[in-house]
Amino acid sequence: MMACMKNNHTIVYINFSPYDNAGRILDFLISNYAVVIHFSYDHLRLKNGRNTNILSVYEHGKISLQRKLIPLRTPELLRFPSLPAVAFLIFLQTLYYAWRFKLKYHRIDQFMSVNAYTAWIGNILKKFHIVKKTIFWVWDYYPPGYADWRIRLLRWVYWKFDKPAVRDTDHLAFISKKLVMLRQKLGVLSKIRIYDIIPIGTNPTTRPLTKRKLIIGFLGMLKKSQGLDFLFDVLPLLVKTMPNIKIECIGSGPEENYFKKRAKRWKKYVTLLGFIKTEDEVDKIMRRWIAGLAMYVPDASNESYWADPSKIKAYLSQYVPVVMTNVPSFATEVVKNNAGIIVEYNQTQQLIDAIKTIHLHWDTYAKNAYKLAQKYHYAKLYRNFLKTAP
């Protein structure tokens, strides 16, 4: 465990499952704060058997309290209509427990979130003198032009929280320059002020590079914008070209049943592993892979254009080169460092050739992937970030 930088400080940290420890941010906070009060909410309310809506308290690196928070389970049909009630529950529970912990610990030095709505809640807590300072590490932008009107409405509402969250927080950081430039263009941010750019971190393995079988993998949310349809469309030709290939998918999501149906006829080749609870177990599985897929759909409404996907950083950390579309800006780094291959979406032969190329020159691509991962080690990135935080 790294030496504590703010070893007498208490922080409230809110995120949404399954992103609580993306880029090992929770691990970092636990190692660097005397007390971490972690709220993990599940706004999607996925039926995957895992425990969600959990409040956990860590004191000096060890868990001292864990409590279930009130979820709002609804039928699939009511998922969207019930979101205002879910948001209100998140607000009430955060307010109540943060107030109780303020009484217990006498002070809460910082509040940190990566989501506009929960960052707005943090600023409310500050106004009530429950927390001293707020940190908003901006991970997302959701383009308004989405086909489904319900999603369009949700994105419009989200933006209404984004503006005051950005305006009122004490310390702002962004995962990409794109997010800063966009808000400057929209007049939300000053064009002359310099903002911290803190990308998602990596956690490079300390294990040596070893030979691997022909297994490619996917890590992430099971939803169509992640590009898994492209993989299933290519499978007939892919397995004919590479009959020994295996595919493993880690994760759950709102369209999990859809992909289970698509995978059913390919069970000889495709294994859907579902949600894996710990990052260490995820890392262990990824160390079997020769390549990781990040086939984002190049649609203007895809939020991945603005993001710094944690899955790519996770792949690189385990010597796993990336096969990806040119959607996230991090694709430039992958190409520049020869840590993977960029393909066009729905170009079947390009995807097959990319997998074959990485398989043929795997040692070189794997070493380059790991070298790139070392550049973004989470301990260094986040330490610099929190040094400048109030």
Side-chain angles (χ1 to χ4, degrees):
M1 188 175 290
M2 67 193 73
C4 288
M5 181 173 58
K6 298 192 173 186
N7 59 8
N8 64 334
H9 283 201
T10 297
I11 188 169
V12 168
Y13 167 57
I14 298 185
N15 209 333
F16 291 96
S17 175
Y19 301 110
D20 301 290
N21 202 21
R24 298 285 177 153
I25 182 60
L26 180 59
D27 288 349
F28 181 84
L29 295 175
I30 292 168
S31 297
N32 282 271
Y33 284 80
V35 179
V36 178
I37 302 161
H38 173 221
F39 294 85
S40 174
Y41 292 111
D42 179 12
H43 62 304
L44 292 173
R45 294 154 288 162
L46 304 173
K47 295 179 180 178
N48 49 26
R50 72 178 190 265
N51 289 326
T52 55
N53 291 286
I54 302 291
L55 167 63
S56 304
V57 180
Y58 301 86
E59 296 187 16
H60 302 289
K62 296 180 180 179
I63 193 159
S64 62
L65 172 72
Q66 195 160 66
R67 178 168 294 168
K68 278 192 174 186
L69 299 169
I70 302 169
L72 186 61
R73 296 291 176 193
T74 60
E76 180 70 23
L77 215 67
L78 297 176
R79 177 182 291 170
F80 286 102
S82 65
L83 277 173
V86 171
F88 189 59
L89 259 180
I90 289 171
F91 174 79
L92 283 182
Q93 292 184 98
T94 305
L95 181 65
Y96 172 71
Y97 283 109
W99 170 73
R100 285 192 59 180
F101 286 118
K102 167 71 184 298
L103 295 179
K104 178 179 178 179
Y105 296 111
H106 304 295
R107 71 177 195 186
I108 297 176
D109 299 283
Q110 294 173 321
F111 173 101
M112 177 176 165
S113 182
V114 303
N115 174 275
Y117 175 63
T118 49
W120 174 83
I121 293 174
N123 289 324
I124 297 295
L125 296 181
K126 181 175 64 174
K127 286 178 182 177
F128 289 165
H129 303 289
I130 295 173
V131 303
K132 285 188 175 181
K133 300 289 183 179
T134 53
I135 304 168
F136 184 16
W137 184 16
V138 184
W139 280 12
D140 298 306
Y141 168 67
Y142 297 102
Y146 198 88
D148 188 327
W149 69 268
R150 297 170 301 175
I151 306 272
R152 282 203 310 274
L153 177 61
L154 289 174
R155 290 183 174 190
W156 179 82
V157 172
Y158 183 85
W159 188 248
K160 297 301 176 185
F161 287 103
D162 188 285
K163 290 179 181 179
V166 165
R167 181 191 64 223
D168 297 336
T169 198
D170 293 299
H171 186 71
L172 270 177
F174 298 82
I175 59 168
S176 72
K177 288 182 181 177
K178 270 187 174 182
L179 290 174
V180 174
M181 292 169 66
L182 170 78
R183 284 168 172 81
Q184 287 175 329
K185 186 178 178 181
L186 294 171
V188 177
L189 294 180
S190 166
K191 292 183 179 180
I192 58 172
R193 184 177 158 189
I194 296 173
Y195 298 93
D196 281 346
I197 307 298
I198 310 294
I200 299 291
T202 60
N203 184 37
T205 181
T206 56
R207 294 171 180 268
L209 186 62
T210 55
K211 286 187 178 181
R212 301 179 184 183
K213 294 179 181 178
L214 181 51
I215 304 174
I216 61 172
F218 168 86
L219 169 68
M221 189 74 75
L222 296 186
K223 55 183 182 178
K224 291 180 181 179
S225 64
Q226 298 284 304
L228 273 177
D229 273 319
F230 181 18
L231 172 65
F232 284 108
D233 291 344
V234 171
L235 270 177
L237 188 55
L238 182 62
V239 298
K240 191 179 288 185
T241 308
M242 308 175 79
N244 295 325
I245 197 168
K246 302 292 180 187
I247 297 151
E248 295 180 342
C249 299
I250 300 173
S252 60
E255 287 153 338
E256 187 169 354
N257 289 335
Y258 168 80
F259 287 111
K260 279 182 177 178
K261 288 176 184 175
R262 289 216 70 177
K264 197 170 183 180
R265 77 172 272 212
W266 301 105
K267 58 185 177 182
K268 179 181 175 183
Y269 302 98
V270 180
T271 305
L272 299 183
L273 298 168
F275 174 75
I276 304 295
K277 189 174 182 180
T278 69
E279 284 74 18
D280 289 339
E281 185 62 26
V282 170
D283 290 346
K284 184 179 177 182
I285 293 168
M286 286 195 295
R287 285 195 289 272
R288 303 200 290 251
W289 302 349
I290 66 155
L293 299 175
M295 311 302 301
Y296 301 99
V297 178
D299 186 285
S301 66
N302 192 339
E303 62 269 21
S304 297
Y305 273 111
W306 310 91
D308 182 31
S310 58
K311 77 168 75 188
I312 295 173
K313 302 292 182 66
Y315 293 156
L316 300 174
S317 298
Q318 305 302 323
Y319 290 102
V320 178
V322 189
V323 178
M324 64 183 295
T325 51
N326 193 21
V327 171
S329 56
F330 194 71
T332 306
E333 283 280 281
V334 171
V335 172
K336 187 171 121 182
N337 291 275
N338 201 28
I341 297 175
I342 309 301
V343 301
E344 292 179 63
Y345 192 79
N346 274 341
Q347 292 298 311
T348 299
Q349 198 55 51
Q350 283 189 25
L351 178 55
I352 293 171
D353 289 345
I355 294 170
K356 287 169 72 175
T357 300
I358 287 177
H359 186 219
L360 192 62
H361 305 285
W362 186 72
D363 274 13
T364 300
Y365 278 103
K367 287 172 184 174
N368 289 339
Y370 186 73
K371 188 176 179 182
L372 181 56
Q374 290 176 308
K375 180 180 174 183
Y376 290 92
H377 197 295
Y378 81 90
K380 181 180 177 182
L381 285 180
Y382 304 157
R383 185 180 294 114
N384 292 338
F385 168 32
L386 287 172
K387 271 183 183 177
T388 61

